[in-house]
Amino acid sequence: MKIDEVRRHVTTPLTSPAFAPVVPRFTDREYLNIVYRTDAEALRAVVPEPLEIDEPLVRFEVMKMGDVSGYGPYTEAGQAIEVSFDGERGEYLHAMYLDNFPATASGREVSAYPKTVGAPSLYVDHGVLVGTLDYGTLRVATATMGYKHHELGHDEAAAQITVPTFMLKTIPGYDGSPRVQELVRTEITDVVVKEAYTGPARLQLFQHVLAPLADLPVLEVVSASHLRTDLTLAPVKPVFDYREGARS
């Protein structure tokens, strides 16, 4: 393989890439979102500067991907923390757990999504929407919401998931020190809300050393929503370089 041919490859392994080189379109992405109040000091311990915390709010989400170009169906769960950067309000993606390896590898390598392995699920049980997350054989989160109790305005629903999203991108060098260390920004685009509901909800988090969701404890459930959407993820853009200590 010639040098110029190598340069045209942007994924590894070289001849059998872990994910397809496509911009995925999400069709029938179903959300269970539960926003809860947590301990402010716990948030300060995990949210990197220069992001700022106003209210100590976390959104626990379970997302069932009906169909994704390049990856197929899968399920994902995680935590997003309400933050602001240079006066712009958004969310910091703290943790994401998936049951699809190509989507996990692509999210980390191409962008900066904090993705790792997990076993999330989203289903209806006796009039209750249930979202769970297992790590290995152990349960680490259980969320429940009344199934389609009250309709939610589609504009309000779209506003919940289209806020700017911030993530930390770190790529180590061969000596173990960071070769790339940036705060990046992205957002959801081309969103179509097909269904949107709200209702009563509960959330339980369980202690686990490798899936420490419970380090951000649930003090009060603030709101909940159940959405079904089509959408696309915009490419990430760097906004702060930690190695240079400056905004991009």
Side-chain angles (χ1 to χ4, degrees), residues 219-236:
L219 303 184
E220 176 193 8
V221 171
V222 175
S223 65
S225 62
H226 174 205
L227 317 177
R228 189 166 64 89
T229 67
D230 297 343
L231 56 88
T232 303
L233 300 177
V236 301

Side-chain angles (χ1 to χ4, degrees), residues 60 62 119-123 125 130-144 203-209 211 213-214:
F60 175 76
V62 182
S121 64
L122 184 63
Y123 59 94
D125 181 19
V130 181
T132 64
L133 174 61
D134 294 349
Y135 191 93
T137 62
L138 298 179
R139 177 62 45 85
V140 293
T142 299
T144 55
L203 175 61
Q204 292 175 286
L205 303 178
F206 305 95
Q207 297 284 351
H208 193 292
V209 66
L213 283 77

Side-chain angles (χ1 to χ4, degrees), residues 66-98:
D67 183 66
V68 187
S69 53
Y71 306 107
Y74 64 93
T75 308
E76 182 173 334
Q79 291 168 310
I81 299 168
E82 290 199 11
V83 296
S84 62
F85 177 76
D86 281 351
E88 181 181 49
R89 297 181 66 85
E91 291 182 331
Y92 170 67
L93 292 187
H94 175 57
M96 307 176 84
Y97 300 85
L98 286 73

Side-chain angles (χ1 to χ4, degrees), residues 32-75:
L32 169 58
N33 296 309
I34 297 182
V35 177
Y36 70 92
R37 194 176 307 279
T38 191
D39 179 75
E41 291 302 317
L43 283 189
R44 293 189 185 98
V46 298
V47 174
E49 293 181 335
L51 296 176
E52 298 179 350
I53 300 167
D54 297 320
E55 288 191 77
L57 297 177
V58 180
R59 182 170 61 88
F60 175 76
E61 61 181 4
V62 182
M63 296 173 288
K64 188 175 183 180
M65 318 299 182
D67 183 66
V68 187
S69 53
Y71 306 107
Y74 64 93
T75 308

Side-chain angles (χ1 to χ4, degrees), residues 8-24:
R8 289 196 291 270
H9 289 262
V10 295
T11 59
T12 56
L14 182 63
T15 58
S16 57
F19 52 89
V22 300
V23 177

